[in-house]
Amino acid sequence: MSVPFLIWLFIFKYVPLWGWTIAFQDYKPAKGFSDQKWVGLEHFGFLFQDKHFLLVLRNTLAMSFINLVLGFFTAIILALLLNELRKVMFKRVVQTISYLPHFISWVVAASIITTVLSADGGVINEILMWLGFIDEPILWLGKGEYFWGILGASEVWKNVGWNTIIYLTAITSVDPSLYEAAEIDGAGRFKRIWHITLPGIKPVIVILMIMNIGNLLESGFEPQYLLGNGMNIDFSENLDIFVLKYGIQMGNFSLSIAAGMFKTVVSFILLFTANGIAKKLGEDRLF
């Protein structure tokens, strides 16, 4: 049963790796492979001397870190809160409502976010003016310094419900007798969560943390591309958009491959480093 998946993995994940050779060439699409000019690490050197690339790298790391922290902790907190609900019907309603945004495409989600943040009748501006926090509407997506916060909140809104599924599944594996014993000993809800639930799902938390650290340079593409504009580009452009811009729009395939290769190698190093730290600390790990 695993053979079709292994074939797919080999064809789409390993065979394309030969394309990394383009990063070491002055690649021209009209020439054959043997006719390309080899330039070694020239494109990598250019990347680390390019101020624009360093700006893009800063944006990528900042957005990834914000998504990691907000997404990680909000999912755990929501899972703990849902687990404490005793009315099954209410719990299912809350779960369903929190899951729904995940199934909305980013094209639709970006349109909703843009409308909500609009300076012309947007809900957020209307509420803030009604409460007296601001005197006039704010062009939220027109100011770069607001973009990271908007993206973080948008990611939480869209994915927090979906991210709780694995934690709720892990919580169900905790021995119920531990809760009963703790309740007999007089432990309240908070103490039961702190001393039983969290230690019970700790292995899952550690594994997911390692995987998320490995994807630290994967800050996304669609939300940045759809919500970004000329006014916030200094904060919204990340590595994926950088690769698209240089590779497709400007035809500099070698530089775009070098940037993508850099991202993959760094992600690989981060994954093994996080896994090694977990091993040193005696925690569960991927391998």
Side-chain angles (χ1 to χ4, degrees):
M1 292 177 63
S2 63
V3 170
F5 171 73
L6 292 175
I7 294 173
W8 174 89
L9 186 69
F10 178 75
I11 293 175
F12 292 100
K13 298 297 182 180
Y14 286 95
V15 172
L17 287 178
W18 75 269
W20 278 11
T21 57
I22 295 174
F24 306 98
Q25 303 170 342
D26 185 13
Y27 182 74
K28 304 297 181 184
K31 295 182 179 180
F33 180 79
S34 59
D35 298 325
Q36 300 293 338
K37 179 183 177 182
W38 293 84
V39 295
L41 299 175
E42 180 180 318
H43 296 296
F44 293 94
F46 175 80
L47 281 178
F48 295 108
Q49 295 174 4
D50 183 21
K51 293 182 179 180
H52 182 60
F53 176 77
L54 297 178
L55 177 67
V56 167
L57 183 60
R58 181 208 67 174
N59 294 343
T60 302
L61 290 172
M63 288 185 281
S64 294
F65 184 76
I66 291 171
N67 291 339
L68 173 63
V69 174
L70 290 180
F72 206 73
F73 287 104
T74 53
I76 294 174
I77 292 171
L78 181 59
L80 294 174
L81 294 175
L82 287 172
N83 185 61
E84 292 300 314
L85 292 177
R86 293 295 173 258
K87 293 185 178 181
V88 178
M89 184 59 67
F90 180 68
K91 179 178 179 179
R92 289 177 178 174
V93 170
V94 173
Q95 283 181 290
T96 302
I97 293 173
S98 64
Y99 294 165
L100 284 177
H102 176 78
F103 299 99
I104 301 174
S105 71
W106 264 113
V107 176
V108 177
S111 178
I112 295 172
I113 295 167
T114 302
T115 302
V116 169
L117 297 175
S118 173
D120 184 17
V123 175
I124 299 299
N125 278 313
E126 293 295 327
I127 292 175
L128 291 177
M129 286 192 294
W130 181 69
L131 293 174
F133 290 115
I134 57 177
D135 296 323
E136 57 183 18
I138 297 175
L139 190 61
W140 296 100
L141 292 175
K143 296 187 177 181
E145 58 269 23
Y146 295 147
F147 187 83
W148 294 348
I150 292 171
L151 180 68
S154 301
E155 289 280 1
V156 170
W157 164 72
K158 194 171 187 303
N159 296 314
V160 65
W162 184 258
N163 292 338
T164 60
I165 293 176
I166 192 168
Y167 295 113
L168 289 171
T169 304
I171 290 173
T172 59
S173 65
V174 179
D175 189 355
S177 62
L178 295 175
Y179 293 104
E180 296 172 1
E183 192 172 358
I184 293 173
D185 288 341
R189 283 194 175 188
F190 179 77
K191 287 188 176 180
R192 293 199 297 270
I193 291 173
W194 187 257
H195 294 289
I196 299 176
T197 308
L198 285 176
I201 64 174
K202 182 181 176 183
V204 175
I205 294 175
V206 172
I207 294 296
L208 290 178
M209 176 62 78
I210 293 172
M211 295 175 66
N212 285 328
I213 290 175
N215 289 322
L216 198 59
L217 291 184
E218 296 287 347
S219 62
F221 171 77
E222 290 177 306
Q224 289 85 351
Y225 186 76
L226 295 168
L227 295 174
N229 55 56
M231 292 181 286
N232 61 34
I233 192 172
D234 287 341
F235 291 84
S236 63
E237 186 176 356
N238 63 0
L239 276 173
D240 290 329
I241 297 178
F242 179 88
V243 170
L244 174 69
K245 179 183 293 186
Y246 276 87
I248 304 299
Q249 297 178 354
M250 300 178 64
N252 195 337
F253 300 103
S254 296
L255 188 64
S256 65
I257 294 296
M261 187 175 174
F262 164 78
K263 184 180 74 171
T264 302
V265 172
V266 171
S267 297
F268 187 80
I269 294 171
L270 288 173
L271 178 65
F272 274 79
T273 302
N275 192 75
I277 293 174
K279 182 179 180 180
K280 290 287 185 181
L281 296 176
E283 302 290 348
D284 292 270
R285 56 192 188 276
L286 283 174
F287 46 85

